[in-house]
Amino acid sequence: MRISVDLFKPELDNCSENRLCYDIKLLQNSLSLLSLNFFSLPFIYPLEKDYNDSVSCLVRAFQKANMLEETGFPDAATTKKIHELCSISMRIRKYIDEIRYISVVSGKKYEQSDYLPALNFIAVFNPCLEIKESDTFFQENFDSFCRYYNCFGENAFTNLVQISERIISALPDRFFGNIRRDFPGKSILRGCVGTDIAVFQSCLRYKSYINKWNIHIAINGIYDDETEYAVKKIQHFCGLEENGTVGFFIWNMVVNQ
């Protein structure tokens, strides 16, 4: 993943509009991926290709979660951290896929290298383990795992996979893309602003696309006339009072279903 910090500066004379849009979209997609795996970040669907207030809010939340200067701007330190955590996120998901292929119960004999994903996966969630990154240190890393979990002998590999599976089962649904975002607690109406509005608009755009509702709204974090009109259309579809206010029912239908 490459994000050019220069593209986010005001001096845009030397870069094309298409490249600028691509890099901002890449930033937004990366933050959406990270918000699945790192729960200190608010989840938001990928947004527009412009660097608006909603994106700035998400960048600021990322910076706060990672103890970086909260500028709302993807500076060098922020983009470096995004790159680092995206790499970890993609590795975690790859590990999970590979762990699920291992079936110790079946009695099949696996090579040591087949257990490497489970070992690395546990190390991500347990920083107390002294794990070296290189695959050539498998035996040393495995010994470290055995000492930490006090499991030795023939059952050690079984325990390795079982512990991995327990961690996977403990991960929230959100980690696997099943997103739930609680209702903000009070109705949303014209004039409201913030991340909750941007999330609602993003989800509404997505639901409109898959359900062919023909609703086109900007994702700007502002509950404007356009958003209110879209909500009234949904209320009309559902046989509800067309007041343009997002209550508990409309929120859950759009965001959580």
Side-chain angles (χ1 to χ4, degrees):
M1 181 184 70
R2 293 175 296 174
I3 299 176
S4 172
V5 177
D6 292 337
L7 292 180
F8 297 98
K9 293 181 179 178
E11 301 81 30
L12 302 176
D13 297 338
N14 297 323
C15 62
S16 70
E17 182 180 348
N18 288 340
R19 176 63 191 275
L20 176 63
C21 290
Y22 171 77
D23 279 24
I24 293 176
K25 189 70 173 177
L26 183 59
L27 169 72
Q28 294 164 340
N29 283 328
S30 299
L31 289 172
S32 292
L33 168 67
L34 292 178
S35 68
L36 287 172
N37 296 4
F38 298 92
F39 308 118
S40 53
L41 290 179
F43 176 78
I44 194 163
Y45 282 99
L47 303 175
E48 301 294 318
K49 292 180 180 179
D50 61 317
Y51 199 85
N52 53 35
D53 291 341
S54 298
V55 183
S56 178
C57 178
L58 192 58
V59 170
R60 192 173 290 109
F62 175 85
Q63 291 168 330
K64 181 178 181 180
N66 290 279
M67 294 180 287
L68 300 170
E69 185 181 358
E70 297 175 39
T71 61
F73 175 85
D75 52 29
T78 301
T79 52
K80 180 180 179 182
K81 194 66 176 178
I82 289 172
H83 182 279
E84 175 190 331
L85 294 182
C86 274
S87 296
I88 293 173
S89 295
M90 288 186 282
R91 276 165 46 208
I92 288 173
R93 290 175 180 277
K94 184 173 182 288
Y95 293 157
I96 289 175
D97 289 339
E98 291 176 346
I99 289 166
R100 285 174 166 168
Y101 280 110
I102 300 175
S103 177
V104 176
V105 178
S106 69
K108 180 180 177 182
K109 296 292 184 181
Y110 287 90
E111 299 295 330
Q112 286 187 351
S113 58
D114 293 324
Y115 292 94
L116 188 62
L119 187 57
N120 288 336
F121 176 74
I122 292 172
V124 170
F125 289 91
N126 188 346
C128 296
L129 279 178
E130 298 177 3
I131 299 293
K132 297 180 181 178
E133 285 293 323
S134 174
D135 294 356
T136 59
F137 290 97
F138 177 82
Q139 189 59 53
E140 188 176 334
N141 291 340
F142 184 66
D143 291 343
S144 177
F145 162 81
C146 292
R147 286 193 302 271
Y148 185 88
Y149 286 97
N150 194 30
C151 57
F152 300 94
E154 295 180 358
N155 293 328
F157 285 105
T158 302
N159 288 336
L160 173 61
V161 177
Q162 287 177 343
I163 290 170
S164 300
E165 290 173 339
R166 283 205 296 271
I167 295 174
I168 293 171
S169 65
L171 292 173
D173 287 344
R174 165 180 172 175
F175 187 92
F176 301 98
N178 302 319
I179 311 305
R180 287 197 61 84
R181 190 179 178 103
D182 292 338
F183 178 62
K186 58 182 180 181
S187 296
I188 300 173
L189 60 164
R190 185 168 21 174
C192 291
V193 297
T195 304
D196 284 332
I197 313 301
V199 170
F200 180 80
Q201 291 169 327
S202 297
C203 295
L204 184 53
R205 282 276 295 271
Y206 175 71
K207 287 290 172 63
S208 174
Y209 172 74
I210 62 174
N211 292 312
K212 297 182 172 29
W213 287 345
N214 197 30
I215 292 175
H216 304 283
I217 59 173
I219 303 172
N220 53 18
I222 303 170
Y223 199 88
D224 50 18
D225 292 345
E226 191 180 48
T227 306
E228 183 183 57
Y229 177 72
V231 170
K232 285 181 177 179
K233 285 183 70 172
I234 295 175
Q235 290 171 329
H236 177 75
F237 295 155
C238 298
L240 301 172
E241 179 186 357
E242 298 174 35
N243 57 16
T245 299
V246 178
F248 181 81
F249 177 81
I250 292 293
W251 175 274
N252 279 310
M253 188 189 79
V254 171
V255 178
N256 292 328
Q257 289 184 6

